Amino acid sequence: MRNMLIDAQTSHLIGHMNKHKANIEILLTHPVGIGEHQDIQEAIETELEEIANYHDKLEMLVKYFPKTEDKENKNVGLTKGK
């Protein structure tokens, strides 16, 4: 269960990072797609801040909550061989 929760949180954080990376790509490749009064550099900086936020959270998750060996799957494999 612990590893499943860690995997879910990892996917959640990476998904948010990818969303903001895609937003930056759009800003860089199609700047006319943004409103005419929008400061593109400011919008990119805002997206970068969001990526940094989720990246930091992902680093903390990996550093302080490493995945553990799944004892249930290991035990199942051992009992099948008997």
Side-chain angles (χ1 to χ4, degrees), residues 6-22:
I6 291 171
D7 287 343
Q9 185 64 28
T10 299
S11 295
H12 173 78
L13 296 170
I14 290 171
H16 277 287
M17 290 169 56
N18 288 335
K19 175 180 77 171
H20 293 288
K21 286 167 59 175

Side-chain angles (χ1 to χ4, degrees), residues 20-51:
H20 293 288
K21 286 167 59 175
N23 288 344
I24 291 174
E25 280 298 325
I26 290 168
L27 290 167
L28 293 172
T29 58
H30 303 301
V32 292
I34 194 165
E36 43 184 273
H37 300 294
Q38 179 77 28
D39 181 350
I40 294 173
Q41 292 295 338
E42 185 179 321
I44 290 172
E45 187 173 343
T46 299
E47 295 296 332
L48 287 171
E49 288 172 359
E50 290 295 326
I51 293 170

Side-chain angles (χ1 to χ4, degrees), residues 5 11 24 37 54 59 75-76:
L5 293 170
S11 295
I24 291 174
H37 300 294
Y54 288 110
E59 281 189 338
N75 290 339
V76 169

